[in-house]
Amino acid sequence: MSGILFLFLILSPVFPQAISGSRLEEIRKRGELRVTGNRNFDPFYISDPKEGFPGFDAELGKKYADFLGVKYTFTNRPEFEDYAEAIKSGEADIAFSGLSSTLERSKKGSFSSPYLISTPGALVNKNALPPPPEGNIISTVYFRSVKDLDSVSGLSFSVRAFSASHEYLLSVFPNSRIFTYGSMDSAWNSVKEGQANCFVGDSLYIKGLLLKQRSILSNFRALIEPVQENHVSALLPKGDVYFFRNFEFFLSELKRTGELKSLEDKYFNNSNWVK
């Protein structure tokens, strides 16, 4: 009998009557889900949004608050370490911020199942690529993923420090010049300014850039075919099985009904959110 009760508490879709010690009980009592993330991260969050287009993660967080029947509040924080600390201290309950899960990061919190799959991608200056073979009029036709650059000499890379893309570069291009920055925006700007000739970052971020400014493709080649899976997930309090199972149920329902795919299409396969 106790085993059946335990399963009911874990799988109950909204709030069990009492979950002593779980963050879910705290959320129920205060009537508020406190979400954290980085507000300056298009299109996960859009700092100056058009009406109806607050950003992918902004909508996802609001949907979860609605599912729980509580108020949604958001606090802006810049980095993963800030999210993890805020969740641990109780200042935030959950983080949505285009987060890629890693083994190292999992020491600081619990990652949900992925709600988006991405890959390390690149924007490489076309002038850094070799000319096409004799008689081939389509330049860079053989460059579709970051891995395709392993035979190109003279490349210098720009990447956000300690990101999944940074880890990938270190493993695949250990002898290349790699410049690291505190944000993907800074890393991309350094390439635009000529400090490096190849930006490497999350493919979803690159998709967002191209939706905002297609003219990027006049000077840069976008390489976003998969080289590995990056799992974009929510960060929850470590060890809180009830909260974790509750969110997993919510996420599985969004996947089953197609809501999650519609949200992905809205922000990553369409430019209607761009001002």
Side-chain angles (χ1 to χ4, degrees), residues 158-199:
S158 180
V159 68
R160 181 180 179 176
F162 307 114
S163 63
S165 296
H166 187 195
E167 291 182 6
Y168 177 81
L169 276 180
L170 291 173
S171 64
V172 179
F173 299 91
N175 299 317
S176 296
R177 295 180 69 193
I178 300 174
F179 301 96
T180 59
Y181 296 85
S183 70
M184 281 197 279
D185 284 348
S186 298
W188 167 231
N189 285 334
S190 77
V191 173
K192 289 192 293 182
E193 293 165 3
Q195 295 165 6
N197 50 31
C198 184
F199 164 74

Side-chain angles (χ1 to χ4, degrees), residues 228-242:
Q228 70 176 32
E229 282 194 2
N230 286 349
H231 290 177
V232 178
S233 306
L235 184 70
L236 297 96
K238 196 167 182 64
D240 193 333
V241 64
Y242 303 104

